[in-house]
Amino acid sequence: MATLDEVRLDRTSAQPLWAQLHADLLRRLEAGEFTRGFPAEGELREEYAVSRHTVREALRRIRAAGLVRSGRGRRSEVLATTIEQPLGTLYSMFAEVESQGLAQTSTVLRCGITKNEQAATALGLATDTDLFGLERVRLADGMPLAHDDVWMPASVAAPLVSSDFTRTALYTELERHGMSRPDGGRERITATLLGPEQAQQLGVRSPTAALLIERTGTLEGQPVECRRTTVRADRYALTMSFGPNGYHVGR
Amino acid sequence: MATLDEVRLDRTSAQPLWAQLHADLLRRLEAGEFTRGFPAEGELREEYAVSRHTVREALRRIRAAGLVRSGRGRRSEVLATTIEQPLGTLYSMFAEVESQGLAQTSTVLRCGITKNEQAATALGLATDTDLFGLERVRLADGMPLAHDDVWMPASVAAPLVSSDFTRTALYTELERHGMSRPDGGRERITATLLGPEQAQQLGVRSPTAALLIERTGTLEGQPVECRRTTVRADRYALTMSFGPNGYHVGR
DNA sequence: GGGCAGCAATAGTACGTACATTTAGGTACG
DNA sequence: CGTACCTAAATGTACGTACTATTGCTGCCC
């Protein structure tokens, strides 16, 4: 019952067989088809009617992406089902909060379309361009965690003015309106001394150090997001691990 | 004249042929043997007397490391001769300083073998283990940049006590004594308020925010370095870019 | 029931072949 | 002298085989 459809691969295509197989395996992984075990090389070979070499060429990339782990003698083991897009330290910080089971909410201080010279410049737009601005205090289980000020071009983010951000993440709302989240960007991380006003917003006494993260998010190379986040340093920190294969932010 | 010595590969070794070939090619790359062109697959095949498959298995890794670039029809092209190990935000920060042409020096506050309960615990050793400790203020062109306190097991780093660290980097000194620098680790980045003493050491007035980077460096999984660096946030920041293919710290 | 031996399954290594596709260079021709 | 074509070389793709090392399971024996 496994070899019903062997016709998923197009041998006349300009795309290599292994690339087609690779794409199909990624699709099936993401669909959760292999949660009860990843197929063996021989099974894939039979199912797709290709040589073992072709199967291994596709598997090589899936292994390299860290989605499955293999070893002599034992079947491949599924480690993850999606390639986690690294979206910067900010993303990983809030993901960390979430993973600790804390409820994330926000107090919205400002949400609307205005002009902002500084943010427009950072986005590479004319200084009088209409921008969507969202200013929040982010809370983890009711406890102030960060002050977040984000600007996006109104031409892109205008539909978001009517959204309720007290419980919803910006990117979730973006995707709900059919827009993509940034696929790249830059962050600048430094430390800052909290002034009386910000200290009060974050619920700490005034002369306190905080992490300041300035972020520019891009979509296909175009800057679409300019963000300034002040994070309480007494409760939260950035962690990163590194090794021969590069960096990993968080955990 | 190319096929003088074909005996570099040991077919009885437990290490795969491709791994031996891979190591030898890295060695020759680093030695600058291929600056006038990288050998073709067929030439390597002949020189090492292995199959094309084995050659390609080794080349695959060299390509993945970004050392050479290949393409249909044209010979492989050498892009770089050494693998740049990412050594964390700290490393990239000081590399940045260097790349700006600033002279890096240090004021050594302490350098010797003592015991340190906290550091020993962080290194996973008994609390009464002898440790090599080095405390410095790091300067860029004479201007204080960071306060750096690093601990390593004395069993590893004892030869370093007689080194002069006013102008030499720790890792350079490590390698001069035939030891390897860490190949991985973890960093924890947070913000801190400088006390009067540290503020004076860094040449700032007292209530100032600074970046605090706590780092554990490992070599082959074993912790070998425990570091605590306080960086002036008014002049220096961490920058990182990220995209679909992962993070890049610095620049 | 526990431990050990053997076996089958599986991925890793290593060899072979053939053809496709692209690039670079040389040659012939206008 | 330049262009167009052809050819050789190189890597990419795709197939085949065989053996090895490791794992996990099965079944036997104590």
Side-chain angles (χ1 to χ4, degrees):
Chain A
M1 51 159 142
T3 49
L4 277 177
D5 41 352
E6 296 181 356
V7 239
R8 273 187 289 238
L9 265 38
D10 176 13
R11 299 185 93 90
T12 68
S13 163
Q15 250 198 345
L17 278 179
W18 64 258
Q20 299 176 47
L21 174 55
H22 177 244
D24 199 50
L25 289 177
L26 284 184
R27 182 188 60 75
R28 295 175 69 185
L29 260 172
E30 194 151 355
E33 221 175 298
F34 302 137
T35 47
R36 323 227 333 143
F38 196 81
E41 289 181 0
E43 292 169 16
L44 290 173
R45 196 183 158 288
E46 205 171 310
E47 185 180 353
Y48 287 93
V50 292
S51 76
R52 187 172 170 215
H53 176 81
T54 304
V55 170
R56 284 178 68 77
E57 188 72 40
L59 285 183
R60 199 188 318 279
R61 283 157 174 84
I62 292 179
R63 278 189 274 265
L67 297 176
V68 307
R69 177 174 48 185
S70 312
R72 247 183 181 137
R74 46 178 227 273
R75 296 179 72 107
S76 294
E77 178 189 357
V78 176
L79 298 177
T81 56
T82 53
I83 302 170
E84 192 55 51
Q85 290 282 35
L87 286 162
T89 53
L90 267 181
Y91 176 84
S92 90
M93 171 176 286
F94 293 125
E96 197 85 355
V97 172
E98 192 106 326
S99 76
Q100 286 169 19
L102 305 177
Q104 289 193 54
T105 53
S106 293
T107 307
V108 176
L109 305 178
R110 179 172 36 77
C111 177
I113 307 238
T114 45
K115 299 188 200 302
N116 180 311
E117 204 169 312
Q118 207 177 342
T121 310
L123 290 170
L125 301 169
T127 53
D128 64 341
T129 312
D130 275 332
L131 298 178
F132 166 75
L134 173 63
E135 183 183 1
R136 293 174 289 179
V137 172
R138 303 183 69 142
L139 316 164
D141 258 0
M143 159 96 65
L145 160 59
H147 176 270
D148 195 45
D149 198 10
V150 54
W151 297 88
M152 304 182 73
S155 57
V156 169
L160 299 182
V161 288
S162 55
S163 299
D164 174 21
F165 285 105
T166 56
R167 293 190 175 278
T168 317
L170 175 58
Y171 291 163
T172 310
E173 205 60 19
L174 264 178
E175 286 176 341
R176 205 171 66 79
H177 285 83
M179 296 172 276
S180 317
R181 56 176 68 192
D183 59 1
R186 296 182 52 77
E187 282 175 352
R188 182 175 178 277
I189 302 160
T190 184
T192 186
L193 213 56
L194 288 182
E197 189 186 355
Q198 277 194 317
Q200 196 210 329
Q201 283 172 344
L202 293 179
V204 294
R205 61 182 184 284
S206 179
T208 306
L211 282 171
L212 174 63
I213 304 178
E214 292 169 313
R215 170 189 168 112
T216 305
T218 60
L219 184 58
E220 289 159 19
Q222 286 293 318
V224 292
E225 175 200 17
C226 160
R227 194 184 275 249
R228 199 180 150 91
T229 306
T230 313
V231 184
R232 275 181 65 170
D234 56 336
R235 295 180 54 84
Y236 296 93
L238 301 171
T239 59
M240 51 192 309
S241 55
F242 53 97
N245 299 319
Y247 291 95
H248 183 87
V249 177
R251 244 153 306 158
Chain B
M1 53 158 142
T3 49
L4 276 177
D5 41 354
E6 296 180 357
V7 240
R8 274 186 289 237
L9 267 39
D10 176 13
R11 300 185 93 92
T12 69
S13 162
Q15 250 198 346
L17 277 180
W18 63 257
Q20 298 177 47
L21 175 55
H22 173 67
D24 199 50
L25 289 176
L26 285 183
R27 182 188 60 74
R28 295 174 68 183
L29 261 172
E30 195 152 353
E33 223 176 297
F34 303 137
T35 46
R36 326 236 320 151
F38 197 80
E41 287 180 3
E43 292 168 15
L44 290 173
R45 195 183 160 289
E46 205 170 311
E47 184 181 352
Y48 287 92
V50 292
S51 74
R52 185 172 171 219
H53 175 81
T54 305
V55 170
R56 283 178 68 79
E57 190 70 40
L59 285 182
R60 197 188 320 279
R61 282 157 174 86
I62 292 180
R63 278 189 274 265
L67 297 177
V68 306
R69 177 174 48 185
S70 312
R72 248 180 181 140
R74 48 178 225 274
R75 296 178 73 107
S76 294
E77 179 189 356
V78 177
L79 298 177
T81 57
T82 52
I83 304 169
E84 193 54 51
Q85 289 282 38
L87 286 161
T89 53
L90 267 182
Y91 176 85
S92 90
M93 171 176 285
F94 294 124
E96 197 86 357
V97 171
E98 192 107 324
S99 76
Q100 286 169 19
L102 305 177
Q104 288 193 54
T105 53
S106 293
T107 306
V108 177
L109 304 178
R110 180 172 37 77
C111 177
I113 306 234
T114 44
K115 300 188 200 301
N116 181 310
E117 203 169 311
Q118 207 176 344
T121 310
L123 290 169
L125 301 170
T127 53
D128 63 341
T129 312
D130 275 331
L131 296 178
F132 167 75
L134 174 63
E135 183 183 0
R136 292 174 291 178
V137 173
R138 304 183 67 141
L139 317 164
D141 259 0
M143 160 95 67
L145 159 60
H147 176 270
D148 194 45
D149 198 10
V150 53
W151 296 88
M152 304 182 73
S155 57
V156 168
L160 300 181
V161 288
S162 55
S163 299
D164 173 21
F165 286 106
T166 56
R167 295 190 174 278
T168 316
L170 174 59
Y171 291 163
T172 310
E173 205 59 20
L174 264 177
E175 286 176 341
R176 204 170 68 77
H177 285 83
M179 297 172 274
S180 320
R181 56 178 66 194
D183 60 2
R186 296 184 51 78
E187 282 175 353
R188 182 174 178 276
I189 302 161
T190 184
T192 186
L193 212 56
L194 287 183
E197 188 186 355
Q198 278 195 317
Q200 196 209 331
Q201 282 172 343
L202 293 179
V204 294
R205 60 182 185 284
S206 178
T208 306
L211 282 170
L212 174 62
I213 304 177
E214 290 168 315
R215 169 188 169 114
T216 305
T218 60
L219 183 58
E220 290 158 18
Q222 285 294 317
V224 292
E225 175 199 15
C226 162
R227 195 186 275 249
R228 199 179 151 90
T229 306
T230 313
V231 184
R232 276 181 64 171
D234 57 335
R235 294 179 54 83
Y236 298 91
L238 301 172
T239 59
M240 50 192 311
S241 55
F242 53 97
N245 299 320
Y247 291 96
H248 184 89
V249 177
R251 245 154 304 157

